[in-house]
Amino acid sequence: MENEGSGLFVIILMGIFLMLLMVSFIVLMLLYHRQKQIKNQEKLKAIQTEYEKTMLNVEKEIREETLSFVGRELHDNIGQLLSLAKMNLSSAKPEKVANGKFMINDIIREVRGLSKILNLEWLEGYSLETFIQKELDKLTHAEFCTTSFESRVPELMLNKDEKLILIRIIQECINNAIKHARPNHISITIHEQDQHTCIHLRDDGVGFDIQVRGDGSGLINLKKRMETIGGTLRITSSVGNGTSIELFLPKFGI
């Protein structure tokens, strides 16, 4: 009887020990998953913060780019039209005065057009394709270089934030070509590649050594911005052979 009692006591102790071990394991697993959940929440919060910061910077840069364009238009285009209109309206010849009045109407249309683009809401009515064509048209009209644009896919369906980021990246790529590449021709195509939608910007300018400039802050910034919308950026260039920039979009761009 004494041995049976001892054996029963040992079994009870083992049962209690196993139960405590199981409870400890469950508590540890709960703590582990809780810590993991907290880390994931912190990571998501950091990603959201970075995304919001990116959007603020993008909107600020686009506004600055827009104001710079408006300033040039006011000085070079509207300023010139106003001077010509003044000369015509000051003339004693009726045909000159009539011509001056027509020019005033043109000036009013130009000013109204500029006032619209000061608000970023104009982007909501523009497709990315329309924006690209207008940017290239500016270069053509300025006789900086020849340009071409072709889209081989249906119109990209983008929300405002995605569109803003892509617009700023494309602006930056074009500006870099203008400042550094000295190209005779800039082309942009939108097509399917490797099961992604690709926006491909190419110029036939002087090119550069990627090994020397590949870690530049400008290029890193462009890559980070593509990552915020789930895309990637790839650049190919060499001295004397121009530059190729490919923006690979996630499935929202199909």
Side-chain angles (χ1 to χ4, degrees), residues 2-90:
E2 187 175 340
N3 290 335
E4 288 181 2
S6 298
L8 182 61
F9 181 72
V10 171
I11 291 172
I12 292 172
L13 284 177
M14 290 181 65
I16 293 172
F17 175 75
L18 289 173
M19 185 177 66
L20 290 172
L21 189 63
M22 186 177 294
V23 170
S24 298
F25 176 76
I26 291 172
V27 170
L28 287 172
M29 289 300 296
L30 288 173
L31 289 173
Y32 170 77
H33 284 291
R34 178 58 179 165
Q35 288 295 322
K36 191 174 181 180
Q37 187 179 35
I38 291 173
K39 287 182 180 179
N40 287 337
Q41 288 175 348
E42 290 175 348
K43 186 177 180 180
L44 287 173
K45 188 175 180 180
I47 291 172
Q48 181 65 27
T49 301
E50 182 64 26
Y51 179 79
E52 291 173 356
K53 180 181 177 182
T54 298
M55 288 308 307
L56 286 173
N57 288 335
V58 164
E59 290 186 5
K60 178 175 179 287
E61 289 168 5
I62 290 179
R63 284 194 174 94
E64 289 174 351
E65 187 82 16
T66 300
L67 286 172
S68 177
F69 170 72
V70 169
R72 290 194 301 270
E73 285 294 297
L74 286 172
H75 181 270
D76 299 336
N77 182 26
I78 294 177
Q80 185 179 20
L81 287 173
L82 284 169
S83 296
L84 290 173
K86 181 181 178 181
M87 289 174 59
N88 280 280
L89 291 172
S90 300

Side-chain angles (χ1 to χ4, degrees), residues 92-109:
K93 298 179 180 179
E95 63 272 16
K96 289 282 188 180
V97 174
N99 189 40
K101 291 179 180 179
F102 280 120
M103 292 182 73
I104 292 296
N105 290 330
D106 290 338
I107 293 167
I108 291 171
R109 282 193 297 269

Side-chain angles (χ1 to χ4, degrees), residues 146-159:
T146 59
T147 64
S148 61
F149 172 60
E150 180 184 7
S151 179
R152 304 169 191 164
V153 300
E155 182 178 310
L156 302 183
M157 305 305 294
L158 309 167
N159 64 41

Side-chain angles (χ1 to χ4, degrees), residues 61-191:
E61 289 168 5
I62 290 179
R63 284 194 174 94
E64 289 174 351
E65 187 82 16
T66 300
L67 286 172
S68 177
F69 170 72
V70 169
R72 290 194 301 270
E73 285 294 297
L74 286 172
H75 181 270
D76 299 336
N77 182 26
I78 294 177
Q80 185 179 20
L81 287 173
L82 284 169
S83 296
L84 290 173
K86 181 181 178 181
M87 289 174 59
N88 280 280
L89 291 172
S90 300
S91 174
K93 298 179 180 179
E95 63 272 16
K96 289 282 188 180
V97 174
N99 189 40
K101 291 179 180 179
F102 280 120
M103 292 182 73
I104 292 296
N105 290 330
D106 290 338
I107 293 167
I108 291 171
R109 282 193 297 269
E110 291 284 343
V111 171
R112 285 175 177 171
L114 288 176
S115 67
K116 289 180 181 179
I117 70 171
L118 287 173
N119 192 330
L120 289 183
E121 291 180 1
W122 67 272
L123 289 173
E124 295 181 8
Y126 270 66
S127 67
L128 182 68
E129 292 83 350
T130 301
F131 171 80
I132 290 172
Q133 188 62 67
K134 285 185 174 293
E135 287 296 293
L136 293 179
D137 286 345
K138 290 178 187 177
L139 299 182
T140 302
H141 294 155
E143 298 182 348
F144 177 82
C145 67
T146 59
T147 64
S148 61
F149 172 60
E150 180 184 7
S151 179
R152 304 169 191 164
V153 300
E155 182 178 310
L156 302 183
M157 305 305 294
L158 309 167
N159 64 41
K160 182 183 176 182
D161 290 350
E162 293 160 349
K163 193 188 298 184
L164 280 173
I165 288 176
L166 285 172
I167 280 174
R168 187 54 194 151
I169 290 172
I170 291 169
Q171 278 184 330
E172 189 67 20
C173 291
I174 292 175
N175 287 341
N176 285 339
I178 293 171
K179 292 177 183 177
H180 307 296
R182 302 195 300 274
N184 294 312
H185 186 77
I186 294 176
S187 69
I188 299 179
T189 58
I190 304 177
H191 61 271

Side-chain angles (χ1 to χ4, degrees), residues 182-242:
R182 302 195 300 274
N184 294 312
H185 186 77
I186 294 176
S187 69
I188 299 179
T189 58
I190 304 177
H191 61 271
E192 297 294 327
Q193 183 174 331
D194 300 329
Q195 297 183 339
H196 288 82
T197 300
C198 175
I199 302 176
H200 192 177
L201 302 92
R202 287 175 288 189
D203 70 65
D204 60 356
V206 298
F208 63 93
D209 187 344
I210 292 181
Q211 298 301 320
V212 176
R213 289 177 52 191
D215 294 329
S217 59
L219 181 56
I220 291 174
N221 188 42
L222 293 180
K223 288 182 175 180
K224 284 184 177 179
R225 289 184 174 182
M226 281 299 295
E227 289 171 1
T228 62
I229 56 174
T232 57
L233 180 148
R234 183 168 70 193
I235 184 166
T236 306
S237 185
S238 61
V239 177
N241 294 308

